[in-house]
Amino acid sequence: MLRVESWNKSFGSNHVLRDISVTIGTGETVTIIGASGSGKSTFLRTLNYLETPDTGVLYIGPDLQHLSIYEGGMLDKNKVVELRRHTAMVFQSFNLFRNKTALGNVTEALTVVRRMKKDEAEEIAVRCLNQVGMGDRMYYYPHMLSGGQQQRVSIARALALSPEVILFDEPTSALDPEMVGEVLNVIRGISHKNSTLIIVTHEMKFAREVSDRVMFFGDGTICEAAPPDELFEHPQHEKTQQFLRSVLNH
Ligand SMILES: Nc1ncnc2c1ncn2[C@@H]1O[C@H](COP(=O)(O)OP(=O)(O)OP(=O)(O)O)[C@@H](O)[C@H]1O
Ligand SMILES: [Mg+2]
C-alpha cells in the first residue's frame, strides 16, 4: 500500500505536481496516462525520491509506515534508503550494467541492495529470470539480447527485490513494435501477485486490460481516476475526453 498527501514538485517556476493526494492498494495495478509533459515521469520518480518532492508526506507498506515528511526541512537520508527497500523501478531504457550478464545484473541488485550472499542471490535471480522467460539466456550480456529481452531482465531484477511497489516508466516505448507484446505479457503475468504495480504507459489497450484503475494526469494533478471500463467508456473530465479522442483516433 502506498499513500501520498499534498505532494508537490516544481522545477523553477514550473509547478509540475500540484498537491496530489492518492492511495494505491496492496496488489493493485494502476496505470498512469496523460499528455507529454503532464508530470507522469516526475510523479513516478518522486515516489522513490529519484526526484525530491518539495512538500508532501508518503506512507508505504502494509501498515502504511510513515516514511517521510518534507516540509522544507532536511530530507532524512535513512528514510530514503528505507523507502527504496520497498520500491523498484523499471526504466524505459532498461539501465542494465553492460559488463554483466543477465544473471549478474539480477544477482548484483540482491548482493548490493539487499546485502545478500552470492549463492542465495543467484538462486533468487535464476527463479526470477525463469519467471520472465529468460532462463535460457542467463549468461548473455545485454548487447547480445534484444530490447525486449533486456527489458525482461530488468523486470526480473525488480521482481528479485520483492518490493512492495514496482514503478514502470513507459517500459515498452524504447522497443521495436514486434517486441512490445512480450514485455507487456510479462507485466500481465506479474500483475495482481505480490507487488503493487504503477505503470506509466502510452499503450491504451494494455492499460485498459491490465489495470484495476487508470489515472489520467493533466495540469499537474490526477484529473480523473477510475476503473478502465469507466474511464475509457465514460470519461467525466473534459481533458480526459480530449486526450482519449486524440490518442484513440491515432
Ligand atoms: N529534471 C528536470 N528539470 C527541469 N524540468 C523538468 C525536469 N524533469 C521534468 N521537467 C519538466 O516537468 C514537466 C513534466 O515532465 P515529465 O517528464 O514528468 O512529463 P511526462 O508526463 O512524463 O511526459 P512524457 O509523456 O513526454 O514522458 C515538463 O514540463 C518537463 O520539462
Ligand atoms: Mg515521461
Side-chain angles (χ1 to χ4, degrees), residues 58-128:
L58 185 144
Y59 305 85
I60 199 164
D63 48 1
L64 283 183
Q65 191 186 355
H66 178 186
L67 264 178
S68 60
I69 298 184
Y70 197 77
E71 297 286 357
M74 291 297 288
L75 186 65
D76 182 339
K77 291 239 165 63
N78 292 329
K79 281 190 173 171
V80 173
V81 171
E82 176 62 23
L83 168 66
R84 295 213 177 116
R85 292 177 63 83
H86 292 277
T87 62
M89 186 132 180
V90 173
F91 298 91
Q92 187 176 345
S93 50
F94 331 132
N95 291 16
L96 296 175
F97 291 112
R98 314 229 123 259
N99 61 342
K100 288 193 188 299
T101 61
L103 182 62
N105 267 280
V106 181
T107 304
E108 167 130 336
L110 293 166
T111 54
V112 173
V113 182
R114 291 281 189 268
R115 308 253 164 91
M116 215 177 250
K117 292 212 182 70
K118 193 157 178 244
D119 287 0
E120 198 187 344
E122 279 195 352
E123 199 181 309
I124 296 172
V126 168
R127 176 163 48 74
C128 294

Side-chain angles (χ1 to χ4, degrees), residues 137-173:
R137 285 185 166 68
M138 283 193 293
Y139 300 107
Y140 284 45
Y141 287 86
H143 74 271
M144 302 156 82
L145 298 170
S146 72
Q149 291 167 339
Q150 290 184 57
Q151 190 59 301
R152 286 191 276 148
V153 172
S154 91
I155 294 172
R157 178 175 58 183
L159 282 174
L161 297 167
S162 309
E164 185 83 25
V165 181
I166 308 181
L167 308 166
F168 295 81
D169 193 0
E170 297 195 37
T172 60
S173 57

Side-chain angles (χ1 to χ4, degrees), residues 175-241:
L175 300 177
D176 291 335
E178 69 270 24
M179 287 164 197
V180 169
E182 68 188 66
V183 171
L184 295 183
N185 276 337
V186 165
I187 300 175
R188 266 184 208 105
I190 63 173
S191 67
H192 305 120
K193 295 254 163 69
N194 302 316
S195 302
T196 300
L197 308 186
I198 307 180
I199 310 165
V200 173
T201 185
H202 289 291
E203 303 278 344
M204 296 300 136
K205 189 163 165 278
F206 171 69
R208 183 156 188 171
E209 172 199 323
V210 80
S211 322
D212 299 303
R213 245 184 327 158
V214 182
M215 294 180 178
F216 172 72
F217 255 66
D219 295 334
T221 66
I222 301 169
C223 254
E224 187 167 349
D229 283 348
E230 255 175 64
L231 190 122
F232 284 103
E233 293 291 335
H234 306 290
Q236 300 295 307
H237 201 287
E238 197 189 311
K239 290 226 156 176
T240 322
Q241 295 165 0

Side-chain angles (χ1 to χ4, degrees), residues 48-64:
N48 69 352
Y49 282 79
L50 281 174
E51 292 287 356
T52 309
D54 299 330
T55 65
V57 190
L58 185 144
Y59 305 85
I60 199 164
D63 48 1
L64 283 183

Side-chain angles (χ1 to χ4, degrees), residues 12-39:
S13 60
N14 185 4
H15 194 174
V16 178
L17 302 178
R18 294 173 181 260
D19 219 29
I20 294 178
S21 295
V22 67
T23 303
I24 298 174
T26 303
E28 194 179 4
T29 296
V30 166
T31 51
I32 297 178
I33 61 172
S36 183
S38 58

